[in-house]
Amino acid sequence: MSDVPDIYDEPDLYDEQYLRYRDDIPFYQRLAVDVGEPVLELGAGSGRLSVELGRAGHRVVGVELSPRMLEQGRARVEAERLDERVRLLAGDMRKLRLEERFPLIVAAFNTLMHLYTPADQDAALATVATLLAPGGTFAFDLFLPEFGPQGLLRREAEWENVGGARSELFLVQEHDRVAQTITSRYYLDSSGADGLLRRRTTTLHQRYYTRFEIERALRQAGFSRISLSGDFDRRPVTADSPRLVGLARL
């Protein structure tokens, strides 16, 4: 699949799909008020959450590995005139080294699902433990997948805004149960005024967690106070929970 661009190499397409996602923002905004700032966001992407936190008056340091997403995020920060509150840096959460310590570190919107091996997971969580201020909180959310038909092309009506009125977004997913990975291949078909159909294709590769797997990884990294919920309203985790939402302290 190396011939197909990663979705993070297509920040405009990524933003069309996800910039309107707001489910997590009140949760992280409340944490920033309750726990304190500055906030360190791992996997800041194109600045979706960092900018919202900055708008609310919080100081944020966002770290992003993808150069194109980082470029898009910095442009958004500048356009919003949030340069004094929001700083976006190039960095890898597995080996991030900063002088500052943070009372709140967040890995929002499935950021930890881009850690594909146990070694990657351990390195990233060790980084979090190192960068937390005394008494600080690490917060994250991870989706719990519901596996639809695999290997079948299906139209994604929920993203009908992507590409404009003359476009349709299709998706094919492949689930590797052994590796606990989901590879999503997106096809954006757009018809032009000339009658020609043009297709853009991107991929998204994620590794999902079980509840006890992420808890064990956190404990191995030194976190002793861990709370896992089934959604942002902190309801208990059940078989029908859409996501895992975690708070962890050393």
Side-chain angles (χ1 to χ4, degrees):
M1 301 180 67
S2 59
D3 59 324
V4 179
D6 187 282
I7 196 168
Y8 300 115
D9 294 327
E10 304 277 349
D12 58 329
L13 183 57
Y14 177 91
D15 278 353
E16 280 195 80
Q17 286 180 251
Y18 299 117
L19 198 58
R20 298 181 186 182
Y21 177 70
R22 290 290 185 270
D23 293 7
D24 58 346
I25 288 173
F27 174 78
Y28 289 112
Q29 285 179 333
R30 285 194 302 271
L31 277 178
V33 171
D34 294 343
V35 177
E37 55 181 80
V39 180
L40 174 63
E41 183 188 4
L42 303 177
S46 58
R48 181 188 65 89
L49 177 58
S50 289
V51 164
E52 290 295 335
L53 291 172
R55 283 176 178 169
H58 303 292
R59 290 182 296 125
V60 184
V61 176
V63 177
E64 174 56 41
L65 184 61
S66 165
R68 295 201 63 189
M69 294 289 280
L70 182 64
E71 180 182 8
Q72 185 105 330
R74 285 173 169 169
R76 180 166 292 118
V77 169
E78 183 177 354
E80 294 278 348
R81 298 182 179 180
L82 292 172
D83 307 70
E84 293 186 2
R85 293 180 186 164
V86 180
R87 182 163 53 106
L88 299 183
L89 308 175
D92 186 330
M93 61 181 164
R94 296 167 297 181
K95 48 188 177 183
L96 184 63
R97 299 293 180 266
L98 298 172
E99 294 298 324
E100 196 168 8
R101 297 295 176 265
F102 300 85
L104 177 61
I105 299 177
V106 304
F109 201 29
N110 311 314
T111 289
L112 298 182
M113 296 180 74
H114 296 291
L115 301 168
Y116 303 117
T117 69
D120 288 340
Q121 295 166 9
D122 291 346
L125 293 177
T127 295
V128 172
T130 299
L131 293 176
L132 267 182
T137 298
F138 174 47
F140 60 90
D141 63 275
L142 304 162
F143 83 79
L144 293 172
E146 291 186 10
F147 302 109
Q150 301 298 296
L152 299 178
L153 185 70
R154 61 182 191 262
R155 180 176 177 270
E156 294 297 287
E158 65 180 291
W159 285 318
E160 60 183 11
N161 61 292
V162 178
R166 304 180 69 172
S167 299
E168 290 186 300
L169 186 68
F170 298 89
L171 170 68
V172 175
Q173 281 191 323
E174 299 291 347
H175 174 208
D176 186 329
R177 295 181 183 274
V178 175
Q180 289 181 215
T181 59
I182 303 169
T183 301
S184 304
R185 189 187 292 246
Y186 297 94
Y187 300 92
L188 179 63
D189 290 351
S190 302
S191 56
D194 55 8
L196 295 178
L197 185 69
R198 294 172 174 84
R199 169 168 285 178
R200 294 175 65 183
T201 306
T202 62
T203 59
L204 174 62
H205 189 61
Q206 297 170 298
R207 184 189 185 282
Y208 61 90
Y209 296 75
T210 66
R211 172 184 180 176
F212 296 111
E213 178 185 14
I214 187 63
E215 184 173 353
R216 186 178 187 279
L218 288 164
R219 292 194 184 282
Q220 183 168 311
F223 292 91
S224 58
R225 292 175 289 168
I226 300 167
S227 172
L228 295 175
S229 304
D231 211 338
F232 295 113
D233 58 7
R234 304 193 186 186
R235 68 184 67 176
V237 180
T238 69
D240 299 322
S241 296
R243 58 182 61 86
L244 283 175
V245 178
L247 298 174
R249 298 175 179 85
L250 296 171

